[in-house]
Amino acid sequence: MNTSILAIVLASALLTPSWYSDYGQAQQQSAQQKKPLVVLFGAGTNGWTKVVRAESPSAEVKKILANDYVCVFVDTDSPAGKKLAQTFDVTAATGMVISDRAGTTQAFWHQGDMTNANVAHYLQKYADPKVVVEGTETTNPVRTSYYPPATQSAPRSLFSSGSC
């Protein structure tokens, strides 16, 4: 009985990622360990879990993070966290950025939450040592809106006073 409890405790410990709060230190570890760097943005102590749309990250997501990544959590409630989020152009409540194995090139960028399946997919993809990062993949569509300049006056109505 005690052996099975110990096995469960050890297995859950293996599924728990180690988190850095210092991005620079994590970047150095990423280069040394030749592991990609994942930066998760969220508010509060367990804000990293809010990147997943479900109640909590799946065991698969935790396992990939623990085994294949150098992990950074950025608490966007703190002034330093807000500043780092701005540096990464993350303006939503949550976000995820993945780098290459050298920790120097951004491979993936997303703001907002995702399903466990999507998080696991992108983590697995960039953990693969055969993947060569040539640019940043993103799941957020770019939306461009065009508005007239603020100095331009509004068009006059055809039915303004005296036109009929």
Side-chain angles (χ1 to χ4, degrees), residues 9-98:
V9 169
L10 288 174
S12 66
L14 293 175
L15 294 178
T16 305
S18 297
W19 294 98
Y20 284 89
S21 58
D22 182 320
Y23 177 76
Q25 185 181 18
Q27 197 173 27
Q28 289 175 348
Q29 286 299 311
S30 171
Q32 287 175 358
Q33 295 177 22
K34 297 192 183 342
K35 287 184 175 183
L37 183 69
V38 63
V39 184
L40 296 176
F41 298 88
T45 307
N46 285 325
W48 75 271
T49 63
K50 296 173 185 153
V51 170
V52 175
R53 197 169 291 152
E55 287 185 24
S56 65
S58 67
E60 179 184 18
V61 166
K62 290 178 184 177
K63 180 181 175 187
I64 297 166
L65 287 170
N67 294 334
D68 300 323
Y69 281 88
V70 173
C71 304
V72 178
F73 168 60
V74 178
D75 182 356
T76 55
D77 275 348
S78 73
K82 286 177 188 174
K83 185 176 180 179
L84 190 57
Q86 288 174 346
T87 302
F88 281 96
D89 291 328
V90 173
T91 58
T94 58
M96 181 169 80
V97 175
I98 300 174

